[in-house]
Amino acid sequence: MKEVSLIIPTLNEEEGLESTITQWREALKDYDHEIIIVDNGSSDQTYSIAKVYSDKCNQVPNVTIAALRNEGSSMASGNVLVFNDADVIPGEFWANEFSLNTNNLQSRKLIMGGNLRSSNEDNFIYNHWFKYIIEEKKKKSAYVGSGHMLMSKDTFSLLNGFDEDLITGEDYDICARCNRELNGHVEYNDNLKTIHQGYPEGILKFIERERWHGIGDVKPISNFIKSKVAISSAIFIVLFISFLISLMANLHHLAIIQALAIAGFVFMTSI
């Protein structure tokens, strides 16, 4: 039985995967750990890299990211599961903060997430959207993202894993079920700092990211109506596009009102 299992789903991540694995290996050096890669059918050298640098790996093409994470958990022997994206690396003091929370994670029905800082401090999208959401999570958070999510294997088993029918939003769903079904807890730990190298840096990439995060809940329409992720993504995209149109048309007064509406919307969806 390992102490920690780090689970990374991949799809065409050859550029940074070796570095990600190496940095997590260093961060977990004081623990009996394993690094598990579950690949979604990459067309590049991702799986070849995984076979060399990970402890366990498998390839499961054409399934949801929730299914990849579940496959990784089925391969895991760690008491604590760390679900992590391929472009998320540990911050300087991650290991210290993790050591303070290992017992907490194993003794409670708890899902914990950390601060995913941007690798580029000048990233406009991060500084004006994601950073604000992170600040709001410090006050209160109903869920944490699966880009870096921690829980005990026992808690994960009680929840029967991620919902594999969801294309996206599997993190929000499992956190909601932890609260509702287990009377458990979801905690955002600002001191558990990681670095996210994949934040979008352009408007079009950002819109595509938000569209993708909502798409899993759009079909069927009943899921869309129930989904905070899908509705939030759709509303934000409409507000943001109308804001850009107003700026280009020199409708500055209208743009200010829309900017205030966006700010208010960000605040409300972050509570």
Side-chain angles (χ1 to χ4, degrees), residues 78-95:
N79 293 320
V80 174
L81 305 180
V82 181
F83 295 98
N84 198 79
D85 283 355
D87 56 4
V88 174
I89 58 176
E92 183 179 359
F93 301 110
W94 182 91

Side-chain angles (χ1 to χ4, degrees), residues 61-110:
N62 305 317
V63 298
T64 63
I65 195 166
L68 295 177
R69 299 191 202 280
N70 286 346
E71 173 64 18
S73 70
S74 72
M75 299 163 62
S77 62
N79 293 320
V80 174
L81 305 180
V82 181
F83 295 98
N84 198 79
D85 283 355
D87 56 4
V88 174
I89 58 176
E92 183 179 359
F93 301 110
W94 182 91
N96 292 337
E97 188 62 26
F98 178 71
S99 68
L100 298 175
N101 285 280
T102 51
N103 290 335
N104 192 24
L105 284 162
Q106 294 179 77
S107 62
R108 301 168 60 200
K109 297 181 180 71
L110 171 66

Side-chain angles (χ1 to χ4, degrees), residues 182-197:
L182 303 184
N183 196 26
H185 302 274
V186 177
E187 294 182 3
Y188 168 79
N189 184 339
D190 192 56
N191 294 319
L192 199 65
K193 296 186 185 298
T194 59
I195 300 170
H196 185 196
Q197 303 172 99

Side-chain angles (χ1 to χ4, degrees), residues 130-150:
F130 295 105
K131 192 173 182 179
Y132 184 84
I133 292 175
I134 290 172
E135 289 300 316
E136 290 302 318
K137 281 186 177 181
K138 293 179 184 180
K139 304 171 187 176
K140 181 181 179 181
S141 180
Y143 87 105
V144 294
S146 51
H148 188 65
M149 174 185 282
L150 299 76

Side-chain angles (χ1 to χ4, degrees), residues 205-223:
K205 288 184 178 180
F206 172 70
I207 291 175
E208 175 61 21
R209 179 188 186 276
E210 294 304 297
R211 184 199 66 80
W212 184 82
H213 273 277
I215 197 171
D217 293 328
V218 171
K219 300 175 182 179
I221 190 65
S222 59
N223 282 3

